[in-house]
Amino acid sequence: MTRVGILGYGNLGRGIELAVTQNDDMELVAVYTRRDPATVKVATEGVAVKPASALDSGEEPIDVLVLCGGSATDLPEQTPKYAALYNVIDSFDTHANIPQHFAAVDAAAAGAGKVALISCGWDPGLFSLNRLYATCILPAGADYTFWGKGISQGHSDAIRRIDGVADAKQYTIPVEEALEAVRSGSNPELTTRQKHTRECWVVLEEGADAEAVRKAIVEMPNYFADYDTTVNFISQEELDRDHAGLPHGGFVVRTGKSAAGSPMTIEYSLKLASNPEFTSSVLIAYARAIARLAGEGASGCKTVFDIAPAYLSPLSDEEIRAHLL
Amino acid sequence: MTRVGILGYGNLGRGIELAVTQNDDMELVAVYTRRDPATVKVATEGVAVKPASALDSGEEPIDVLVLCGGSATDLPEQTPKYAALYNVIDSFDTHANIPQHFAAVDAAAAGAGKVALISCGWDPGLFSLNRLYATCILPAGADYTFWGKGISQGHSDAIRRIDGVADAKQYTIPVEEALEAVRSGSNPELTTRQKHTRECWVVLEEGADAEAVRKAIVEMPNYFADYDTTVNFISQEELDRDHAGLPHGGFVVRTGKSAAGSPMTIEYSLKLASNPEFTSSVLIAYARAIARLAGEGASGCKTVFDIAPAYLSPLSDEEIRAHLL
């Protein structure tokens, strides 16, 4: 059995708890929280809720600690800290800062003889794997990543910070014509605006100026200004009824040609009713790999690129060769 | 530079030769053939053509030998034989015999301190990888593999063996309704007939009985009897003009649910203008991995499940983390 600990009990932490129940060789030992443990009610019977400080001894009975904090401020601090004490895995997704995060985590894990895996999930994660495999196999080509249709938490939060907005959800939507152009192998050069549209569902505060809110959204730099954005005003009741989920997904497409000019297309896509529950399923499969690697004496920081696929499976090498090859 | 040798100069061998030219860190050293080398004209200047027997010394200047023979009779003999002398890679695709082939190759390679990789390509190969990743991530689910639209060499050969047939090509075609049912997440139980249709383009010999040939095809056990098969009679000129290529492709779809019941779909698909050229591109990426593993002192037989993705790339770990993660 691989003994799992969770640090942080938000959407991702609850997803990890669910994912563990689908894997007979995994066991959730404890949820660690920075809140008062008495206020955190977990879904699984028999799972301890402990203060995050309990981890500091390095002696908690866990094989892998799954770090469920955010990439902005939690993980840059937490992952190196706990990689010096436990085998850890995170879903750090600030692409530009990955080299720096890797270096900090690698130093901590290597020094302590622990294994860490960063930036796991579906993007970064499964999409990264598909970009790598496809690029290596079709060196003469181009690849494209499209996201959605799905809820972007960052963009939803940005709308909620606007004066006059009571609540909001934002969907990122790939442009079908752009996706078709990519699949055709024509290697289109696509602007940000041509690849995705943004669809906003906004609940106004009493007396707010709808046109001012709409303008503040569509002109917001980085988040919306470079996109075709539609803004819909609805009631809180409608938002809660029709937009409560956290669906997501997307496409990684690489088109290329052989040296003889034969066109080839490799496409990978995900359609996910729950982004955090799927991300958790990926993390738990990789937690298995981390525990195995640690058992073999490995140490240091890894990414999905470093993990041989067989390590993700609860089946023996003989079984996967017989049934999945 | 990774020095590559090719044994067998058919469609696959020529594809390997093409694929090497797209990878700056790879070099084709020699083509080995069981034919009279004087009769084999390779496309690349400066590449030696040698008799297969030249390999027997174990001293040919190659890092990886790519075995381009057939799975029925060539590879079961060749791969163990040459795995005792060189690092080797093959595309053995007789699924039922993989455990036996693995055992023979592993014994030879491990004994000689060489690395071998069997059953590489797209199925087995990339499709296997996607079945494994998807199964580990969505343990509660079902997966489906569809092939085509593409030319099946085995089925084309089977038609050509019928009395009265001068030439033939056979396309395997996935049934769109079945694929849509799978994508919907309804976990359909699909019969062989419901998943694929077979489309035959047949050139008759002078005076042959078309109806007898049609009947012989559609009633042929294993190959056609379990499928809805259409037979079209055309001239040799039309066959050569419209059906000269070797396109193929297919789909691996896994649908599953989180423990909370959220439906998820993972789909991988390939659309290939040339099956042998694409298979070759996969083999050459894995040849790079094999050479690296051998350089690290690894030995024994591997499959795609055992190879960490980073080994396929000519880029450094830092580069792939910065640009592809």
Side-chain angles (χ1 to χ4, degrees), chain B residues 79-213:
Chain B
T79 315
K81 173 179 172 181
Y82 294 111
L85 300 168
Y86 302 95
N87 304 310
V88 299
I89 183 167
D90 79 17
S91 57
F92 184 80
D93 67 357
T94 310
H95 281 82
N97 297 342
I98 285 175
Q100 180 185 344
H101 189 56
F102 183 91
V105 176
D106 191 47
K114 302 292 182 186
V115 180
L117 190 137
I118 62 161
S119 301
C120 191
W122 60 273
D123 195 5
L126 301 181
F127 275 17
S128 321
L129 279 178
N130 277 279
R131 286 187 287 262
L132 180 74
Y133 278 118
T135 303
C136 296
I137 290 160
L138 297 177
D143 61 66
Y144 299 83
T145 302
F146 291 86
W147 296 274
K149 181 180 180 174
I151 295 275
S152 164
Q153 302 264 41
H155 288 77
S156 301
D157 290 345
I159 299 172
R160 283 192 285 259
R161 285 192 294 265
I162 295 171
D163 274 349
V165 172
D167 203 351
K169 288 285 174 73
Q170 193 267 188
Y171 293 89
T172 304
I173 305 173
V175 175
E176 191 61 35
E177 295 74 27
L179 194 46
E180 286 309 319
V182 165
R183 285 175 177 146
S184 78
S186 68
N187 270 15
E189 289 206 18
L190 296 167
T191 63
T192 297
R193 191 177 300 276
Q194 287 171 318
K195 286 183 72 185
H196 297 93
T197 56
R198 298 198 176 279
E199 182 183 284
C200 311
W201 299 87
V202 179
V203 180
L204 290 173
E205 286 175 349
E206 186 90 19
D209 177 346
E211 182 48 28
V213 167

Side-chain angles (χ1 to χ4, degrees), chain A residues 128 258 262 267 269 277 305 310 325, chain B residues 128 258 262 269 277 305 310 325:
Chain A
S128 321
S258 74
S262 308
E267 178 167 338
S269 66
E277 289 169 19
F305 298 145
L325 195 62
Chain B
S128 321
S258 74
S262 309
S269 65
E277 289 169 20
F305 298 146
L325 196 59

Side-chain angles (χ1 to χ4, degrees), chain A:
Chain A
M1 295 292 276
T2 299
R3 299 167 302 167
V4 174
I6 293 172
L7 176 59
Y9 196 64
N11 282 332
L12 189 60
R14 283 190 293 270
I16 297 291
E17 185 180 15
L18 286 168
V20 167
T21 67
Q22 292 190 309
N23 291 277
D24 295 341
D25 61 333
M26 318 278 291
E27 177 191 7
L28 180 60
V29 170
V31 169
Y32 303 89
T33 178
R34 289 175 295 182
R35 290 180 271 168
D36 174 0
T39 67
V40 175
K41 177 112 186 81
V42 298
T44 315
E45 226 174 300
V47 170
V49 180
K50 301 184 179 184
S53 59
L55 289 164
D56 295 348
S57 69
E59 294 184 358
E60 287 294 293
I62 52 179
D63 299 308
V64 183
L65 179 64
V66 184
L67 301 169
C68 299
S71 295
T73 56
D74 296 334
L75 299 176
E77 183 210 328
Q78 290 176 350
T79 315
K81 173 180 173 180
Y82 294 111
L85 299 168
Y86 303 94
N87 304 308
V88 300
I89 181 167
D90 78 17
S91 57
F92 184 80
D93 66 358
T94 310
H95 281 82
N97 297 342
I98 285 175
Q100 181 185 344
H101 188 56
F102 182 91
V105 176
D106 190 48
K114 303 291 182 187
V115 180
L117 190 136
I118 62 160
S119 301
C120 190
W122 60 272
D123 195 4
L126 302 181
F127 275 16
S128 321
L129 279 178
N130 277 279
R131 286 187 285 262
L132 180 73
Y133 278 119
T135 302
C136 295
I137 290 160
L138 296 178
D143 60 68
Y144 299 83
T145 302
F146 291 85
W147 295 275
K149 180 180 177 176
I151 295 275
S152 164
Q153 303 263 43
H155 288 77
S156 300
D157 290 346
I159 299 172
R160 282 191 286 261
R161 284 192 293 265
I162 294 171
D163 274 349
V165 172
D167 203 352
K169 289 285 175 71
Q170 192 268 185
Y171 293 90
T172 304
I173 304 173
V175 175
E176 191 61 35
E177 295 74 27
L179 195 46
E180 286 309 320
V182 165
R183 285 175 176 146
S184 77
S186 69
N187 270 17
E189 288 206 19
L190 297 167
T191 63
T192 297
R193 190 177 301 274
Q194 287 171 319
K195 285 184 72 185
H196 297 92
T197 56
R198 299 198 175 278
E199 183 183 282
C200 311
W201 299 87
V202 179
V203 181
L204 291 173
E205 286 175 351
E206 187 90 20
D209 177 346
E211 180 50 27
V213 167
R214 196 197 64 78
K215 196 162 177 297
I217 295 172
V218 302
E219 295 180 357
M220 194 186 298
N222 302 317
Y223 285 85
F224 293 100
D226 298 334
Y227 297 85
D228 289 338
T229 301
T230 56
V231 180
N232 307 282
F233 296 103
I234 56 174
S235 69
Q236 184 74 53
E237 188 188 13
E238 289 169 312
L239 190 79
D240 294 345
R241 185 190 65 204
D242 301 334
H243 305 284
L246 292 169
H248 222 311
F251 305 82
V252 176
V253 184
R254 186 170 178 92
T255 60
K257 288 188 173 164
S258 74
S262 308
M264 317 284 191
T265 304
I266 303 175
E267 178 167 338
Y268 184 77
S269 66
L270 298 172
K271 195 176 166 191
L272 314 171
S274 168
N275 182 353
E277 289 169 19
F278 186 78
T279 299
S280 298
S281 297
V282 179
L283 284 163
I284 279 301
Y286 275 94
R288 177 182 293 120
I290 292 310
R292 284 211 194 147
L293 281 167
E296 293 176 7
S299 66
C301 188
K302 314 287 179 190
T303 73
V304 293
F305 298 145
D306 303 309
I307 310 297
Y311 281 88
L312 304 188
S313 177
L315 303 178
S316 71
D317 289 349
E318 290 74 18
E319 288 171 312
I320 61 176
R321 281 196 298 268
H323 301 302
L324 294 166
L325 195 62

